[in-house]
Amino acid sequence: MNPGVLGAGFERERERMVDEQIARRGITDARVLQAMRRVPRHRFVEEPLRDRAYGDHPLPIGEQQTISQPYIVALMTSLLALHGTEKVLEVGTGSGYQTAVLAELARRVCSIERLAPLAARARALIEGLGYTNVWIRVGNGALGWSDEAPFDRILVAAGGPGVPPPLFEQLAEGGRMVLPLGDAEGQILTLVERVGGEMRTRAFGDCMFVPLVGKYAWES
Ligand code: SAH
């Protein structure tokens, strides 16, 4: 957690976003709501889009990728049930917004992005905001980050056909992973738990993510 990080600007927009799009839709985890009140989402989009940063939708971030809709970020984060002690793996850093929300709520965040320009931009932003518990790497996140494994929590921000086996292998016993599973037409937000070495899954509604690319993706 980073008590020193300040989300200067757009405070009222952020407050409204949390009240109207997140709390009102049933997300009750007070720590998640507080983290989303703090992280300056407008900093994670290009200057011309800043006025729309707190709207109820995803936005383009270049490289044909998107920053996820605020509600989806809140839902995925709350499904992870973070208490502050966890080591988290994120696949698909993108803008780094979800990464910052995770950094507010976990002990350490390791995030992997396949596109180097996005990873570089996210790293600079995260460092500039003062987070010291985030590591961002370029690579295929579906292979995990074996040097840092096991992870208490894993969040995948790109859609794929199934749970990539390396990610389940790198999930700690009792750990939780959240990811969108389906096809290019749409996915189901899925919670995976590792209980006694076995995989348990639960579905949490429809969603639409950009595709996971590379091994364990739809096309490969
Ligand atoms: N939570 C991010 C979402 C970014 S979109 C945000 O709110 O900004 C998903 C990201 O996953 C994209 O940046 C895409 O490049 C990345 N991605 C897709 N497949 C990947 C893979 N196999 N490994 C790592 N990153 C991947």
Side-chain angles (χ1 to χ4, degrees):
M1 281 188 279
N2 295 268
V5 177
L6 282 179
F10 292 89
E11 283 83 4
R12 285 176 55 195
E13 286 82 355
R14 208 150 44 241
E15 199 66 38
R16 264 184 70 181
M17 171 190 85
V18 170
D19 291 348
E20 294 176 8
Q21 302 171 34
I22 299 172
R24 198 172 290 174
R25 288 188 186 134
I27 306 256
T28 54
D29 184 329
R31 293 182 73 240
V32 173
L33 301 182
Q34 187 56 21
M36 294 192 62
R37 281 193 192 99
R38 281 169 56 79
V39 178
R41 183 173 164 91
H42 61 281
R43 298 279 302 275
F44 294 85
V45 300
E46 304 278 13
E47 192 85 48
L49 295 177
R50 285 201 170 165
D51 286 346
R52 298 175 59 204
Y54 296 95
D56 194 12
H57 42 65
L59 282 171
I61 55 170
E63 311 279 341
Q64 295 176 308
Q65 307 302 324
T66 54
I67 178 172
S68 304
Q69 179 191 9
Y71 174 70
I72 288 290
V73 172
L75 179 58
M76 292 180 92
T77 308
S78 71
L79 288 175
L80 287 183
L82 293 163
H83 300 104
T85 54
E86 299 85 359
K87 187 185 212 182
V88 182
L89 174 68
E90 179 189 40
V91 176
T93 318
S95 66
Y97 173 68
Q98 170 82 73
T99 321
V101 172
L102 294 172
E104 291 277 341
L105 297 167
R107 177 171 57 87
R108 183 175 166 91
V109 182
C110 300
S111 185
I112 309 177
E113 167 58 52
R114 59 177 284 274
L115 299 173
L118 291 182
R121 207 193 314 159
R123 194 182 289 123
L125 258 167
I126 294 267
E127 282 177 14
L129 288 170
Y131 293 100
T132 54
N133 58 344
V134 175
W135 280 258
I136 297 176
R137 208 187 78 172
V138 177
N140 180 0
L143 304 177
W145 190 327
S146 52
D147 291 352
E148 293 284 347
F151 296 96
D152 305 301
R153 305 288 190 261
I154 299 178
L155 184 153
V156 183
V163 179
L167 294 186
F168 188 69
E169 281 159 23
Q170 293 179 28
L171 185 64
E173 174 59 26
R176 290 176 155 229
M177 167 167 22
V178 58
L179 75 178
L181 295 182
D183 57 34
E185 310 303 313
Q187 305 97 43
I188 295 183
L189 198 58
T190 307
L191 175 67
V192 172
E193 288 174 281
R194 183 173 182 140
V195 184
E198 302 284 308
M199 189 187 297
R200 293 200 189 151
T201 63
R202 276 191 276 165
F204 283 89
D206 297 333
C207 57
M208 179 63 97
F209 277 77
V210 297
L212 187 75
V213 175
K215 200 172 179 191
Y216 307 117
W218 287 312
E219 296 94 330
S220 64

Short mmCIF file of all heavy atoms in Angstrom, two decimals, residues 137-196:
data_model
loop_
_atom_site.label_atom_id
_atom_site.label_comp_id
_atom_site.label_asym_id
_atom_site.label_seq_id
_atom_site.Cartn_x
_atom_site.Cartn_y
_atom_site.Cartn_z
N ARG A 137 7.30 -6.31 -16.56
CA ARG A 137 8.22 -7.00 -17.47
C ARG A 137 7.55 -7.18 -18.82
O ARG A 137 6.32 -7.31 -18.90
CB ARG A 137 8.47 -8.38 -16.87
CG ARG A 137 9.75 -9.01 -17.17
CD ARG A 137 9.74 -10.43 -16.64
NE ARG A 137 8.99 -11.29 -17.54
CZ ARG A 137 8.94 -12.60 -17.41
NH1 ARG A 137 9.55 -13.21 -16.43
NH2 ARG A 137 8.26 -13.31 -18.28
N VAL A 138 8.36 -7.21 -19.89
CA VAL A 138 7.82 -7.49 -21.23
C VAL A 138 7.92 -8.98 -21.48
O VAL A 138 8.97 -9.59 -21.23
CB VAL A 138 8.62 -6.72 -22.31
CG1 VAL A 138 8.11 -7.06 -23.71
CG2 VAL A 138 8.52 -5.21 -22.07
N GLY A 139 6.82 -9.58 -21.98
CA GLY A 139 6.87 -11.01 -22.29
C GLY A 139 5.49 -11.58 -22.49
O GLY A 139 4.50 -10.84 -22.53
N ASN A 140 5.41 -12.91 -22.66
CA ASN A 140 4.12 -13.59 -22.75
C ASN A 140 3.68 -13.98 -21.34
O ASN A 140 4.18 -14.94 -20.77
CB ASN A 140 4.21 -14.81 -23.65
CG ASN A 140 2.87 -15.54 -23.74
OD1 ASN A 140 1.89 -15.12 -23.13
ND2 ASN A 140 2.82 -16.61 -24.51
N GLY A 141 2.71 -13.24 -20.83
CA GLY A 141 2.25 -13.45 -19.46
C GLY A 141 1.59 -14.79 -19.24
O GLY A 141 1.50 -15.25 -18.09
N ALA A 142 1.13 -15.44 -20.30
CA ALA A 142 0.47 -16.75 -20.14
C ALA A 142 1.47 -17.80 -19.66
O ALA A 142 1.07 -18.86 -19.18
CB ALA A 142 -0.17 -17.18 -21.45
N LEU A 143 2.74 -17.50 -19.78
CA LEU A 143 3.77 -18.43 -19.28
C LEU A 143 4.09 -18.16 -17.82
O LEU A 143 4.87 -18.89 -17.20
CB LEU A 143 5.05 -18.29 -20.12
CG LEU A 143 4.88 -18.50 -21.63
CD1 LEU A 143 6.20 -18.28 -22.36
CD2 LEU A 143 4.32 -19.89 -21.92
N GLY A 144 3.52 -17.09 -17.28
CA GLY A 144 3.75 -16.73 -15.88
C GLY A 144 5.12 -16.10 -15.68
O GLY A 144 5.75 -15.61 -16.63
N TRP A 145 5.55 -16.08 -14.42
CA TRP A 145 6.83 -15.44 -14.04
C TRP A 145 7.43 -16.39 -13.02
O TRP A 145 7.26 -16.20 -11.80
CB TRP A 145 6.52 -14.07 -13.46
CG TRP A 145 7.67 -13.15 -13.23
CD1 TRP A 145 8.95 -13.48 -12.87
CD2 TRP A 145 7.64 -11.71 -13.33
NE1 TRP A 145 9.70 -12.35 -12.74
CE2 TRP A 145 8.94 -11.25 -13.01
CE3 TRP A 145 6.65 -10.77 -13.64
CZ2 TRP A 145 9.27 -9.90 -13.00
CZ3 TRP A 145 6.99 -9.43 -13.63
CH2 TRP A 145 8.28 -9.00 -13.31
N SER A 146 8.12 -17.43 -13.52
CA SER A 146 8.49 -18.55 -12.64
C SER A 146 9.44 -18.12 -11.52
O SER A 146 9.35 -18.67 -10.42
CB SER A 146 9.07 -19.71 -13.46
OG SER A 146 10.09 -19.25 -14.28
N ASP A 147 10.31 -17.13 -11.77
CA ASP A 147 11.24 -16.70 -10.72
C ASP A 147 10.51 -16.11 -9.51
O ASP A 147 11.06 -16.10 -8.40
CB ASP A 147 12.20 -15.62 -11.24
CG ASP A 147 13.17 -16.18 -12.24
OD1 ASP A 147 13.20 -17.42 -12.40
OD2 ASP A 147 13.89 -15.39 -12.88
N GLU A 148 9.33 -15.59 -9.75
CA GLU A 148 8.58 -14.93 -8.67
C GLU A 148 7.49 -15.83 -8.09
O GLU A 148 6.85 -15.47 -7.10
CB GLU A 148 7.95 -13.63 -9.17
CG GLU A 148 8.95 -12.54 -9.52
CD GLU A 148 9.52 -11.87 -8.27
OE1 GLU A 148 8.98 -12.06 -7.17
OE2 GLU A 148 10.52 -11.15 -8.41
N ALA A 149 7.22 -16.97 -8.73
CA ALA A 149 6.14 -17.86 -8.28
C ALA A 149 6.50 -18.49 -6.94
O ALA A 149 7.70 -18.61 -6.62
CB ALA A 149 5.90 -18.93 -9.35
N PRO A 150 5.53 -18.95 -6.15
CA PRO A 150 4.09 -18.93 -6.43
C PRO A 150 3.45 -17.56 -6.13
O PRO A 150 3.98 -16.78 -5.36
CB PRO A 150 3.54 -19.99 -5.47
CG PRO A 150 4.47 -19.95 -4.29
CD PRO A 150 5.83 -19.63 -4.87
N PHE A 151 2.29 -17.36 -6.74
CA PHE A 151 1.52 -16.14 -6.54
C PHE A 151 0.25 -16.44 -5.74
O PHE A 151 -0.42 -17.44 -5.98
CB PHE A 151 1.13 -15.53 -7.89
CG PHE A 151 2.33 -15.07 -8.67
CD1 PHE A 151 2.89 -15.88 -9.65
CD2 PHE A 151 2.92 -13.85 -8.41
CE1 PHE A 151 4.02 -15.48 -10.35
CE2 PHE A 151 4.05 -13.43 -9.11
CZ PHE A 151 4.60 -14.24 -10.08
N ASP A 152 -0.07 -15.55 -4.81
CA ASP A 152 -1.31 -15.70 -4.04
C ASP A 152 -2.53 -15.37 -4.89
O ASP A 152 -3.61 -15.89 -4.66
CB ASP A 152 -1.28 -14.76 -2.82
CG ASP A 152 -0.03 -14.99 -1.98
OD1 ASP A 152 0.15 -16.13 -1.52
OD2 ASP A 152 0.76 -14.04 -1.82
N ARG A 153 -2.32 -14.48 -5.84
CA ARG A 153 -3.42 -14.04 -6.70
C ARG A 153 -2.88 -13.82 -8.11
O ARG A 153 -1.75 -13.35 -8.28
CB ARG A 153 -4.00 -12.70 -6.23
CG ARG A 153 -4.46 -12.67 -4.78
CD ARG A 153 -5.72 -13.47 -4.59
NE ARG A 153 -6.30 -13.26 -3.27
CZ ARG A 153 -6.14 -14.10 -2.25
NH1 ARG A 153 -5.38 -15.18 -2.39
NH2 ARG A 153 -6.73 -13.86 -1.10
N ILE A 154 -3.73 -14.10 -9.13
CA ILE A 154 -3.38 -13.84 -10.53
C ILE A 154 -4.57 -13.19 -11.21
O ILE A 154 -5.71 -13.64 -11.03
CB ILE A 154 -2.99 -15.15 -11.26
CG1 ILE A 154 -1.76 -15.80 -10.58
CG2 ILE A 154 -2.70 -14.87 -12.74
CD1 ILE A 154 -1.31 -17.13 -11.20
N LEU A 155 -4.30 -12.12 -11.96
CA LEU A 155 -5.36 -11.45 -12.72
C LEU A 155 -4.92 -11.40 -14.18
O LEU A 155 -3.83 -10.94 -14.49
CB LEU A 155 -5.56 -10.03 -12.18
CG LEU A 155 -6.70 -9.19 -12.79
CD1 LEU A 155 -7.18 -8.16 -11.76
CD2 LEU A 155 -6.28 -8.47 -14.07
N VAL A 156 -5.77 -11.91 -15.08
CA VAL A 156 -5.48 -11.89 -16.51
C VAL A 156 -6.44 -10.92 -17.18
O VAL A 156 -7.66 -11.08 -17.09
CB VAL A 156 -5.62 -13.30 -17.14
CG1 VAL A 156 -5.22 -13.26 -18.62
CG2 VAL A 156 -4.77 -14.32 -16.39
N ALA A 157 -5.89 -9.91 -17.87
CA ALA A 157 -6.71 -8.84 -18.45
C ALA A 157 -6.89 -8.98 -19.95
O ALA A 157 -7.13 -8.00 -20.65
CB ALA A 157 -6.09 -7.48 -18.13
N ALA A 158 -6.78 -10.22 -20.46
CA ALA A 158 -6.98 -10.46 -21.89
C ALA A 158 -7.71 -11.80 -22.03
O ALA A 158 -7.48 -12.72 -21.24
CB ALA A 158 -5.65 -10.47 -22.62
N GLY A 159 -8.58 -11.89 -23.05
CA GLY A 159 -9.46 -13.06 -23.18
C GLY A 159 -8.78 -14.24 -23.84
O GLY A 159 -8.03 -14.08 -24.79
N GLY A 160 -9.08 -15.44 -23.33
CA GLY A 160 -8.51 -16.65 -23.91
C GLY A 160 -9.47 -17.82 -23.77
O GLY A 160 -10.53 -17.69 -23.15
N PRO A 161 -9.10 -18.98 -24.36
CA PRO A 161 -10.00 -20.13 -24.37
C PRO A 161 -10.03 -20.92 -23.07
O PRO A 161 -10.99 -21.64 -22.80
CB PRO A 161 -9.42 -20.99 -25.50
CG PRO A 161 -7.98 -20.63 -25.56
CD PRO A 161 -7.88 -19.19 -25.13
N GLY A 162 -8.97 -20.84 -22.27
CA GLY A 162 -8.93 -21.65 -21.05
C GLY A 162 -7.85 -21.14 -20.12
O GLY A 162 -7.14 -20.18 -20.44
N VAL A 163 -7.74 -21.77 -18.96
CA VAL A 163 -6.73 -21.35 -17.98
C VAL A 163 -5.36 -21.81 -18.49
O VAL A 163 -5.15 -23.01 -18.64
CB VAL A 163 -7.00 -21.98 -16.61
CG1 VAL A 163 -5.94 -21.56 -15.60
CG2 VAL A 163 -8.39 -21.60 -16.10
N PRO A 164 -4.43 -20.91 -18.77
CA PRO A 164 -3.10 -21.34 -19.21
C PRO A 164 -2.45 -22.20 -18.12
O PRO A 164 -2.33 -21.76 -16.97
CB PRO A 164 -2.34 -20.03 -19.42
CG PRO A 164 -3.41 -19.00 -19.65
CD PRO A 164 -4.56 -19.44 -18.78
N PRO A 165 -2.05 -23.45 -18.45
CA PRO A 165 -1.50 -24.34 -17.41
C PRO A 165 -0.37 -23.73 -16.58
O PRO A 165 -0.36 -23.93 -15.36
CB PRO A 165 -1.04 -25.56 -18.21
CG PRO A 165 -1.92 -25.56 -19.42
CD PRO A 165 -2.17 -24.12 -19.74
N PRO A 166 0.56 -22.96 -17.17
CA PRO A 166 1.63 -22.41 -16.32
C PRO A 166 1.09 -21.48 -15.23
O PRO A 166 1.66 -21.40 -14.14
CB PRO A 166 2.51 -21.61 -17.30
CG PRO A 166 2.21 -22.16 -18.64
CD PRO A 166 0.77 -22.61 -18.59
N LEU A 167 -0.02 -20.81 -15.52
CA LEU A 167 -0.58 -19.88 -14.52
C LEU A 167 -1.18 -20.66 -13.35
O LEU A 167 -0.99 -20.29 -12.19
CB LEU A 167 -1.62 -18.95 -15.15
CG LEU A 167 -1.08 -17.96 -16.19
CD1 LEU A 167 -2.18 -17.00 -16.63
CD2 LEU A 167 0.11 -17.18 -15.64
N PHE A 168 -1.86 -21.77 -13.66
CA PHE A 168 -2.40 -22.57 -12.54
C PHE A 168 -1.26 -23.17 -11.73
O PHE A 168 -1.32 -23.20 -10.50
CB PHE A 168 -3.36 -23.65 -13.05
CG PHE A 168 -4.07 -24.33 -11.91
CD1 PHE A 168 -5.01 -23.65 -11.15
CD2 PHE A 168 -3.76 -25.64 -11.56
CE1 PHE A 168 -5.64 -24.25 -10.07
CE2 PHE A 168 -4.39 -26.25 -10.48
CZ PHE A 168 -5.33 -25.56 -9.74
N GLU A 169 -0.21 -23.61 -12.43
CA GLU A 169 0.96 -24.18 -11.72
C GLU A 169 1.59 -23.15 -10.79
O GLU A 169 2.12 -23.50 -9.73
CB GLU A 169 2.01 -24.66 -12.72
CG GLU A 169 1.68 -26.00 -13.34
CD GLU A 169 2.42 -26.22 -14.66
OE1 GLU A 169 3.48 -25.58 -14.89
OE2 GLU A 169 1.90 -27.01 -15.48
N GLN A 170 1.55 -21.88 -11.18
CA GLN A 170 2.20 -20.83 -10.39
C GLN A 170 1.26 -20.19 -9.37
O GLN A 170 1.65 -19.24 -8.67
CB GLN A 170 2.80 -19.76 -11.32
CG GLN A 170 3.95 -20.32 -12.15
CD GLN A 170 4.56 -19.31 -13.10
OE1 GLN A 170 4.55 -18.10 -12.85
NE2 GLN A 170 5.11 -19.80 -14.20
N LEU A 171 0.04 -20.70 -9.28
CA LEU A 171 -0.91 -20.20 -8.28
C LEU A 171 -0.70 -20.95 -6.97
O LEU A 171 -0.67 -22.18 -6.94
CB LEU A 171 -2.34 -20.41 -8.79
CG LEU A 171 -3.47 -19.84 -7.93
CD1 LEU A 171 -3.39 -18.31 -7.86
CD2 LEU A 171 -4.84 -20.26 -8.51
N ALA A 172 -0.53 -20.21 -5.89
CA ALA A 172 -0.30 -20.83 -4.57
C ALA A 172 -1.54 -21.61 -4.13
O ALA A 172 -2.66 -21.29 -4.54
CB ALA A 172 0.01 -19.74 -3.55
N GLU A 173 -1.32 -22.59 -3.29
CA GLU A 173 -2.44 -23.32 -2.68
C GLU A 173 -3.33 -22.32 -1.91
O GLU A 173 -2.82 -21.46 -1.21
CB GLU A 173 -1.88 -24.40 -1.74
CG GLU A 173 -2.91 -25.14 -0.93
CD GLU A 173 -3.95 -25.87 -1.77
OE1 GLU A 173 -3.66 -26.24 -2.94
OE2 GLU A 173 -5.08 -26.07 -1.28
N GLY A 174 -4.62 -22.43 -2.12
CA GLY A 174 -5.55 -21.47 -1.51
C GLY A 174 -5.64 -20.16 -2.29
O GLY A 174 -6.35 -19.24 -1.88
N GLY A 175 -4.92 -20.09 -3.40
CA GLY A 175 -4.87 -18.85 -4.17
C GLY A 175 -6.07 -18.67 -5.09
O GLY A 175 -6.86 -19.60 -5.30
N ARG A 176 -6.19 -17.47 -5.62
CA ARG A 176 -7.31 -17.12 -6.51
C ARG A 176 -6.78 -16.49 -7.78
O ARG A 176 -5.85 -15.67 -7.73
CB ARG A 176 -8.19 -16.06 -5.86
CG ARG A 176 -8.98 -16.55 -4.68
CD ARG A 176 -9.75 -15.40 -4.06
NE ARG A 176 -10.90 -15.96 -3.36
CZ ARG A 176 -12.15 -15.54 -3.49
NH1 ARG A 176 -12.43 -14.51 -4.26
NH2 ARG A 176 -13.13 -16.12 -2.84
N MET A 177 -7.44 -16.84 -8.89
CA MET A 177 -7.09 -16.23 -10.18
C MET A 177 -8.40 -15.78 -10.83
O MET A 177 -9.41 -16.49 -10.76
CB MET A 177 -6.39 -17.29 -11.05
CG MET A 177 -6.25 -16.92 -12.49
SD MET A 177 -5.12 -17.96 -13.51
CE MET A 177 -4.97 -19.50 -12.70
N VAL A 178 -8.38 -14.60 -11.47
CA VAL A 178 -9.57 -14.16 -12.18
C VAL A 178 -9.19 -13.87 -13.62
O VAL A 178 -8.14 -13.27 -13.89
CB VAL A 178 -10.26 -12.97 -11.45
CG1 VAL A 178 -9.36 -11.79 -11.29
CG2 VAL A 178 -11.54 -12.58 -12.14
N LEU A 179 -10.02 -14.38 -14.55
CA LEU A 179 -9.68 -14.22 -15.96
C LEU A 179 -10.92 -14.38 -16.84
O LEU A 179 -11.88 -15.04 -16.44
CB LEU A 179 -8.58 -15.20 -16.38
CG LEU A 179 -8.86 -16.69 -16.60
CD1 LEU A 179 -7.57 -17.37 -17.05
CD2 LEU A 179 -9.39 -17.37 -15.37
N PRO A 180 -10.92 -13.72 -18.03
CA PRO A 180 -12.05 -13.84 -18.94
C PRO A 180 -11.84 -15.05 -19.85
O PRO A 180 -10.85 -15.12 -20.59
CB PRO A 180 -11.98 -12.54 -19.75
CG PRO A 180 -10.59 -12.01 -19.59
CD PRO A 180 -9.91 -12.74 -18.50
N LEU A 181 -12.80 -16.00 -19.83
CA LEU A 181 -12.68 -17.21 -20.64
C LEU A 181 -13.84 -17.29 -21.63
O LEU A 181 -14.99 -17.09 -21.26
CB LEU A 181 -12.69 -18.46 -19.75
CG LEU A 181 -11.52 -18.61 -18.78
CD1 LEU A 181 -11.63 -19.91 -18.00
CD2 LEU A 181 -10.18 -18.56 -19.53
N GLY A 182 -13.51 -17.61 -22.88
CA GLY A 182 -14.55 -17.73 -23.90
C GLY A 182 -13.93 -17.69 -25.27
O GLY A 182 -12.87 -18.27 -25.51
N ASP A 183 -14.60 -16.93 -26.17
CA ASP A 183 -14.05 -16.77 -27.52
C ASP A 183 -14.05 -15.28 -27.88
O ASP A 183 -14.40 -14.44 -27.05
CB ASP A 183 -14.82 -17.62 -28.53
CG ASP A 183 -16.31 -17.29 -28.53
OD1 ASP A 183 -16.65 -16.11 -28.30
OD2 ASP A 183 -17.11 -18.20 -28.74
N ALA A 184 -13.67 -14.99 -29.12
CA ALA A 184 -13.52 -13.59 -29.51
C ALA A 184 -14.84 -12.84 -29.47
O ALA A 184 -14.87 -11.61 -29.42
CB ALA A 184 -12.90 -13.51 -30.91
N GLU A 185 -15.97 -13.55 -29.51
CA GLU A 185 -17.30 -12.90 -29.50
C GLU A 185 -17.70 -12.46 -28.10
O GLU A 185 -18.60 -11.64 -27.93
CB GLU A 185 -18.37 -13.86 -30.04
CG GLU A 185 -18.03 -14.53 -31.36
CD GLU A 185 -17.73 -13.52 -32.44
OE1 GLU A 185 -18.51 -12.57 -32.58
OE2 GLU A 185 -16.71 -13.69 -33.14
N GLY A 186 -17.10 -13.06 -27.09
CA GLY A 186 -17.44 -12.70 -25.72
C GLY A 186 -16.89 -13.72 -24.75
O GLY A 186 -16.60 -14.86 -25.12
N GLN A 187 -16.77 -13.29 -23.50
CA GLN A 187 -16.18 -14.18 -22.49
C GLN A 187 -16.99 -14.13 -21.20
O GLN A 187 -17.84 -13.27 -21.02
CB GLN A 187 -14.73 -13.77 -22.18
CG GLN A 187 -13.83 -13.69 -23.39
CD GLN A 187 -13.69 -12.27 -23.91
OE1 GLN A 187 -13.54 -11.33 -23.13
NE2 GLN A 187 -13.75 -12.08 -25.22
N ILE A 188 -16.67 -15.07 -20.33
CA ILE A 188 -17.27 -15.10 -18.99
C ILE A 188 -16.16 -14.84 -17.99
O ILE A 188 -15.09 -15.48 -18.04
CB ILE A 188 -17.94 -16.46 -18.74
CG1 ILE A 188 -19.11 -16.59 -19.72
CG2 ILE A 188 -18.39 -16.59 -17.29
CD1 ILE A 188 -19.92 -17.82 -19.58
N LEU A 189 -16.40 -13.86 -17.13
CA LEU A 189 -15.42 -13.57 -16.10
C LEU A 189 -15.40 -14.75 -15.13
O LEU A 189 -16.44 -15.10 -14.56
CB LEU A 189 -15.80 -12.27 -15.39
CG LEU A 189 -14.70 -11.61 -14.60
CD1 LEU A 189 -13.50 -11.29 -15.49
CD2 LEU A 189 -15.22 -10.33 -13.98
N THR A 190 -14.25 -15.37 -15.00
CA THR A 190 -14.16 -16.64 -14.27
C THR A 190 -13.21 -16.52 -13.09
O THR A 190 -12.11 -15.97 -13.23
CB THR A 190 -13.67 -17.75 -15.23
OG1 THR A 190 -14.50 -17.76 -16.39
CG2 THR A 190 -13.72 -19.12 -14.56
N LEU A 191 -13.66 -17.03 -11.95
CA LEU A 191 -12.81 -17.09 -10.76
C LEU A 191 -12.31 -18.52 -10.61
O LEU A 191 -13.10 -19.46 -10.60
CB LEU A 191 -13.60 -16.68 -9.52
CG LEU A 191 -12.85 -16.80 -8.19
CD1 LEU A 191 -11.69 -15.81 -8.11
CD2 LEU A 191 -13.80 -16.59 -7.02
N VAL A 192 -11.00 -18.67 -10.54
CA VAL A 192 -10.37 -19.98 -10.37
C VAL A 192 -9.76 -20.02 -8.98
O VAL A 192 -9.05 -19.08 -8.59
CB VAL A 192 -9.26 -20.18 -11.42
CG1 VAL A 192 -8.45 -21.44 -11.15
CG2 VAL A 192 -9.84 -20.21 -12.83
N GLU A 193 -10.04 -21.09 -8.23
CA GLU A 193 -9.40 -21.25 -6.92
C GLU A 193 -8.63 -22.55 -6.90
O GLU A 193 -9.05 -23.54 -7.51
CB GLU A 193 -10.46 -21.24 -5.81
CG GLU A 193 -11.04 -19.86 -5.61
CD GLU A 193 -12.19 -19.87 -4.63
OE1 GLU A 193 -13.30 -20.25 -5.04
OE2 GLU A 193 -11.98 -19.49 -3.48
N ARG A 194 -7.51 -22.55 -6.22
CA ARG A 194 -6.70 -23.76 -6.09
C ARG A 194 -6.92 -24.33 -4.69
O ARG A 194 -6.47 -23.75 -3.70
CB ARG A 194 -5.23 -23.43 -6.33
CG ARG A 194 -4.37 -24.67 -6.27
CD ARG A 194 -2.94 -24.35 -6.68
NE ARG A 194 -2.18 -25.58 -6.64
CZ ARG A 194 -1.27 -25.92 -7.52
NH1 ARG A 194 -0.98 -25.11 -8.52
NH2 ARG A 194 -0.63 -27.05 -7.42
N VAL A 195 -7.62 -25.44 -4.63
CA VAL A 195 -7.98 -26.03 -3.33
C VAL A 195 -7.48 -27.47 -3.31
O VAL A 195 -7.94 -28.30 -4.10
CB VAL A 195 -9.52 -26.01 -3.13
CG1 VAL A 195 -9.88 -26.54 -1.75
CG2 VAL A 195 -10.07 -24.60 -3.33
N GLY A 196 -6.53 -27.77 -2.43
CA GLY A 196 -5.95 -29.11 -2.37
C GLY A 196 -5.34 -29.52 -3.71
O GLY A 196 -5.43 -30.68 -4.11
#
